[in-house]
Every structure is written in structure tokens, then in C-alpha cells.
């Protein structure tokens, strides 16, 4: 609807095609977390756009259960909850509705505004958030010998973003990249967010300034008033030493080229930006736009929050096989009791509904049986009125006068009607009659 609030996006796979199975997410905070962590929640919503509730507003009275109840209605598949513990901020990623739930400790993080302020040439593009980002997973161990918790962690991040289909992807929709890498030395997960930019390849920086003027310059060419010839500007190696008379040579020209061949590609289709047409050779560059996080995996449990089952992995608590079997047995027992209670509640609700429907049927039957009696009473009253009218017609004038005298004797004395201070005896006489 035009003018309405933007909620969870409806775009599907990368390329803008609609898909009902696209991952959707709620990103919320729990309790009092402070201004810095609140801003991190907003930055993560921008990272997950457009398939997230970007303008979701939490109230102080909201519980995590409130979002879990609304998730199936809005077809939300993931819940990311930030909270502040005594030691460090925490993050929980839950797969809905069956789980599992991953608990992380946030070792370090930087907000998007801090990353942009620290950049030498910051890049921003509001149009880049109209499509979901590409996901790049790095350094995760794979294969049969990979630890089970790392395989689950890999699938967790894969399911957060729409799947990539190289054959049908529209190149113009690939605007952002989310890099998730495993740090084997620190046993942490590093999350980075980048913006994809392309520029002309195979030319020096000075030539690129002529071909691609900056947006802030209004499309104007550089100032050449200090140069005697265009060659003085193109060939002069400012800041690079250069050759004789300050001009570039074959060796210095290669050194001044900021785009090596391994960074250059030929565009498979038209891309956003000026003169980025199909088949042109362009250098691809990633500019970090934040936020960045370093996460420490603490625990993996079965089920969503509030319905946790067995513990699949714990960083600090280790269990023996017997203890693990006992915990799984307890979790199965809790699940059985929960199911039994739910079935009992459903039976009670069905029984109450049936009782209410039976009472309504009895009320309707009683109403139908009482209607003929009312009609008979009405007919009886009508017959009495007819008989009384006949008797009145047969009464003589003497009987009428006698009845009037008896009425006057039985009636109590009436007071005179007063209007202000005046007494009206005629009105009182009419009342006696």
C-alpha cells in the first residue's frame, strides 16, 4: 500500500523474484541493553533488509514469547535476539518453529557509523538495500571429519539469507556482501558487511578521474589550468616519483595502476553506475560499510526459546555419554508432558464447546414450546374482552348509575389542584367525576 509502513519484505531470491520460502527474520533486543547495543540492532536490521521487519518497535512489556507467537502468522523463519548479560552482550539465533537455537557471546563489535567514519573514502548507497546481500562463508571446515557443531553453525548462517542461483541472478541486484568467516585460532566467527563497487580497469587514477568524475564535482573534468598540455596531467606521476622530468615510464605506469588483473572481470550484463555495460572490463572492489562483530559460540540446544530440548553443544560444560543420555531422556519426558497437557487442553475446550452448544439447543427448544401457550393466552384475553363488551351493552342505565355511586363512595378524597396561589374548584370537580 502506498504510504504504509514498510514491514517484512516480500522479495525472494537474489534477483528480486518473489518466493514464499525466502527466509524472514525478527531482530529484537531483550531488556535494557543501552544505546550502543540498540544501535547495533538497527544496523543488523539494515544488513538483513529487505527480508526483515526494519521498523519493528519493541515495548518494555514485550516478552520473547510475543514474537514467537506472531512469527508463524508473518511467516518468519528466524529470530535474532540481542541482550546484555553481566559479562558481555549476547546474541541468540533461533530457527523457527522447531529450532535449534544458537547462543553467542559478542566478544567485540563496531557500529556502522564507526566503520564509515574510519574509512578514508566512505561509500554509501541507499539503493543497495533494496535487494538481499550475497553470503560468503570462509574458512569453515567441511567434510566427514568436521566437528558437528561447526556443521550446524554453517547451516545456521546459510539459512539466514536467500539461496544464490547463478544462472538466474540479475547482476544489478548483487550490491552487497556479508562475509562470515571462521577464526580457527580464536574459535570465533567474524561477521563483516561490504558494499560492491566497480570502476574502470586498466587505466591510471588520473585518467579515471576524467572518465568517471566524482558525484560531488557535478560531472566536471579536473582543473587543468596549471598544465600546459593534457599530457602533462595524464603522464605526470604525482606522488610516485616518476621517471625523467617527472613523467611516467613503462615501470612507473604499471606501479600507478591500482587495479591488478586478478581484480578485474568482464561484466556479464549491465551493472549500476555510469558506463557499466555488458562486456566492459571493470575492477571489482569491496568497501566495508559495517557493522562488524566477533562472535563466540557458547551453546546449541534443540527447539526454540522457551521450549529447549537437549543440549547439542556447550563450550564450557562437558558431559559424559551417560549424562548426555540422561539429559535427552529428561528432554523427551518434558516434551511428552507438554504434548499431554496440550491434548488435555484441547479435549477440555472441545467439551466446553459441546456443553455450550447443548445449552443453546435447550434454550431454543424451550422458546419454541412456549410460543403456542402465549397465543392461547392472547386468544383467551381477547375472548374475555368480547364477553365484557357484550355484558356492557346489556347493562341498564340504573346499573350504570349504581356503579357510579359505588365508585364515588370507594374513591378517596381528592385534593384541589392549585396553580400558584389560585385554587381551581372546577378542575377538582372534573377529577371526582
Amino acid at each position: 500500500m502506498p504510504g504504509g509502513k514498510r514491514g517484512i519484505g516480500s522479495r525472494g531470491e537474489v534477483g528480486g523474484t518473489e518466493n514464499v520460502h525466502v527466509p524472514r527474520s525478527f531482530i529484537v533486543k531483550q531488556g535494557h541493553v543501552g544505546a550502543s547495543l540498540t544501535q547495533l540492532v538497527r544496523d543488523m536490521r539494515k544488513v538483513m533488509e529487505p527480508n526483515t521487519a526494519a521498523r519493528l518497535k519493541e515495548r518494555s512489556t514485550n516478552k520473547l514469547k510475543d514474537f514467537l507467537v506472531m512469527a508463524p502468522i508473518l511467516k518468519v523463519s528466524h529470530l535474532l535476539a540481542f541482550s546484555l548479560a553481566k559479562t558481555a552482550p549476547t546474541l541468540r539465533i533461533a530457527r523457527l518453529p522447531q529450532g535449534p537455537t544458537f547462543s553467542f557471546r559478542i566478544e567485540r563489535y563496531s557500529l556502522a557509523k564507526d566503520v564509515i567514519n574510519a574509512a578514508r573514502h566512505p561509500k554509501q548507497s541507499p539503493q543497495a538495500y533494496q535487494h538481499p546481500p550475497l553470503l560468503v562463508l570462509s574458512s569453515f571446515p567441511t567434510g566427514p571429519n568436521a566437528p558437528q557443531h561447526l556443521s550446524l553453525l554453517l547451516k545456521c548462517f546459510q539459512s539466514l539469507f536467500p539461496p544464490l542461483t547463478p544462472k538466474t541472478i540479475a547482476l544489478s541486484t548483487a550490491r552487497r556482501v556479508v562475509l562470515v568467516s571462521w577464526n580457527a585460532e580464536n574459535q570465533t566467527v567474524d561477521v563483516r558487511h561490504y558494499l560492491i563497487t566497480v570502476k574502470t580497469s586498466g587505466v591510471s587514477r588520473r585518467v579515471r578521474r576524467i572518465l568517471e568524475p566524482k558525484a560531488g564535482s557535478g560531472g566536471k573534468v579536473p582543473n587543468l589550468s596549471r598544465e600546459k598540455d593534457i599530457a602533462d596531467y595524464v603522464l605526470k606521476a604525482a606522488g610516485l616519483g616518476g621517471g625523467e622530468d617527472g613523467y611516467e615510464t613503462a615501470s612507473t605506469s604499471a606501479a600507478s595502476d591500482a587495479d591488478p588483473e586478478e581484480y578485474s572481470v568482464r561484466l556479464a550484463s549491465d551493472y549500476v553506475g555510469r558506463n557499466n555495460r555488458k562486456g566492459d572490463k571493470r575492477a571489482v572492489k569491496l568497501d566495508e560499510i559495517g557493522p562488524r562483530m566477533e562472535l563466540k559460540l557458547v551453546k546449541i540446544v534443540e527447539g526454540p526459546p522457551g521450549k529447549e530440548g537437549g543440549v547439542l553443544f556447550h563450550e564450557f560444560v562437558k558431559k559424559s555419554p551417560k549424562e548426555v543420555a540422561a539429559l535427552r531422556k529428561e528432554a523427551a519426558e518434558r516434551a511428552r508432558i507438554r504434548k499431554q497437557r496440550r491434548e488435555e487442553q484441547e479435549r477440555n475446550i472441545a467439551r466446553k464447546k459441546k456443553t455450550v452448544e447443548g445449552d443453546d439447543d435447550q434454550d431454543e427448544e424451550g422458546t419454541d414450546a412456549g410460543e403456542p401457550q402465549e397465543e392461547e393466552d392472547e386468544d383467551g384475553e381477547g375472548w374475555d374482552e368480547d364477553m365484557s363488551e357484550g355484558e356492557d351493552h346489556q347493562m341498564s342505565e340504573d346499573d350504570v348509575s349504581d356503579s357510579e355511586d359505588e365508585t364515588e363512595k370507594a374513591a378517596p378524597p381528592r385534593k384541589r389542584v392549585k396553580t400558584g396561589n389560585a385554587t381551581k374548584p372546577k378542575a377538582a370537580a372534573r377529577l371526582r367525576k
Side-chain angles (χ1 to χ4, degrees):
M1 293 177 60
K5 290 185 177 181
R6 182 177 59 181
I8 297 179
S10 60
R11 291 183 176 86
E13 297 182 359
V14 177
T17 58
E18 187 174 351
N19 189 351
V20 295
H21 301 292
V22 62
R24 294 183 172 92
S25 60
F26 275 158
I27 304 178
V28 299
K29 61 181 184 293
Q30 289 184 271
H32 180 71
V33 296
S36 182
L37 205 58
T38 301
Q39 184 60 40
L40 180 62
V41 172
R42 297 194 189 102
D43 293 344
M44 284 302 299
R45 288 177 181 175
K46 289 191 69 66
V47 172
M48 302 299 294
E49 282 190 9
N51 300 320
T52 188
R55 299 181 183 179
L56 180 64
K57 295 182 179 180
E58 309 98 324
R59 296 181 180 178
S60 58
T61 57
N62 285 137
K63 304 296 182 182
L64 200 62
K65 184 179 179 181
D66 300 334
F67 302 102
L68 296 176
V69 171
M70 293 300 299
I73 301 175
L74 299 176
K75 299 180 181 179
V76 174
S77 60
H78 292 79
L79 175 68
L80 283 74
F82 289 83
S83 60
L84 185 60
K86 294 182 180 180
T87 56
T90 61
L91 168 63
R92 282 195 293 176
I93 302 178
R95 179 68 183 269
L96 303 179
Q98 302 295 334
T101 301
F102 297 80
S103 299
F104 299 91
R105 185 178 64 200
I106 303 178
E107 301 288 347
R108 294 182 295 176
Y109 68 92
S110 297
L111 302 178
K113 62 179 181 180
D114 298 331
V115 175
I116 293 175
N117 292 336
R120 184 177 180 183
H121 301 289
K123 302 289 184 180
Q124 285 291 344
S125 178
Q127 293 79 14
Y129 296 96
Q130 296 179 358
H131 303 281
L134 307 178
L135 176 64
V136 177
L137 298 170
S138 175
S139 303
F140 279 91
T142 57
N145 297 328
Q148 181 183 6
H149 67 281
L150 292 184
S151 300
L152 293 175
L153 186 61
L154 182 67
K155 295 179 181 179
C156 170
F157 286 104
Q158 281 181 339
S159 63
L160 275 174
F161 300 91
L164 176 64
T165 53
K167 294 183 179 180
T168 59
I169 183 176
L171 189 61
S172 58
T173 62
R175 304 293 305 276
R176 295 181 294 134
V177 172
V178 173
L179 174 63
V180 180
S181 59
W182 172 253
N183 190 335
E185 182 179 357
N186 299 329
Q187 295 293 303
T188 57
V189 179
D190 297 328
V191 181
R192 299 287 189 272
H193 186 211
Y194 297 94
L195 179 68
I196 301 176
T197 57
V198 297
K199 54 186 178 181
T200 307
S201 176
V203 296
S204 64
R205 186 178 293 107
R206 288 175 172 261
V207 174
R208 187 181 297 115
R209 290 177 182 175
I210 300 175
L211 298 177
E212 301 176 358
K214 293 183 179 180
S217 63
K220 298 180 182 179
V221 298
N223 186 8
L224 304 178
S225 60
R226 298 181 181 180
E227 309 295 343
K228 296 181 180 180
D229 190 81
I230 186 65
D232 296 337
Y233 176 79
V234 174
L235 298 178
K236 192 173 183 179
L240 297 177
E244 297 179 358
D245 299 331
Y247 285 93
E248 289 186 351
T249 61
S251 59
T252 59
S253 178
S256 65
D257 193 355
D259 305 322
E261 288 296 328
E262 56 265 23
Y263 299 151
S264 301
V265 296
R266 292 196 176 274
L267 299 179
S269 62
D270 294 346
Y271 196 69
V272 293
R274 180 179 296 181
N275 299 326
N276 294 327
R277 299 183 179 88
K278 180 179 180 181
D280 293 345
K281 191 175 182 180
R282 292 290 184 268
V284 180
K285 185 180 179 182
L286 299 179
D287 295 306
E288 189 173 4
I289 56 178
R292 61 173 66 169
M293 293 188 298
E294 184 178 346
L295 306 176
K296 177 75 172 181
L297 180 62
V298 177
K299 184 171 63 172
I300 305 176
V301 297
E302 298 176 345
K307 298 180 181 179
E308 291 87 351
V311 178
L312 301 178
F313 170 79
H314 203 293
E315 177 67 19
F316 306 108
V317 180
K318 304 299 181 183
K319 299 289 185 180
S320 63
K322 292 183 179 180
E323 293 175 339
V324 171
L327 291 175
R328 289 182 178 178
K329 186 177 180 180
E330 292 178 2
E333 181 66 18
R334 289 197 300 268
R336 186 189 65 80
I337 294 174
R338 190 184 300 115
K339 183 179 179 181
Q340 183 179 358
R341 289 177 179 175
R342 184 166 56 250
E343 292 176 352
E344 184 178 356
Q345 290 176 355
E346 291 176 356
R347 288 195 299 268
N348 293 338
I349 292 173
R351 178 174 52 81
K352 291 180 180 180
K353 287 183 178 180
K354 188 175 181 180
T355 303
V356 172
E357 291 176 358
D359 294 342
D360 294 341
D361 295 340
Q362 291 179 2
D363 294 341
E364 292 177 359
E365 291 176 0
T367 303
D368 297 340
E371 288 178 357
Q373 185 66 26
E374 293 178 358
E375 293 178 357
E376 292 177 2
D377 295 342
E378 292 177 358
D379 295 342
E381 291 176 359
W383 182 81
D384 293 340
E385 290 177 357
D386 295 340
M387 292 299 293
S388 62
E389 289 177 0
E391 292 176 355
D392 291 341
H393 288 299
Q394 294 176 3
M395 292 175 66
S396 62
E397 295 179 357
D398 296 337
D399 297 335
V400 173
S401 61
D402 294 340
S403 62
E404 290 179 355
D405 294 338
E406 292 176 358
T407 305
E408 290 179 0
K409 292 178 181 180
R414 300 178 182 273
K415 295 182 179 181
R416 294 183 179 181
V417 179
K418 295 182 179 181
T419 305
N421 296 327
T423 303
K424 294 185 178 181
K426 292 182 180 182
R430 285 196 296 270
L431 289 174
R432 285 197 297 272
K433 290 181 180 181

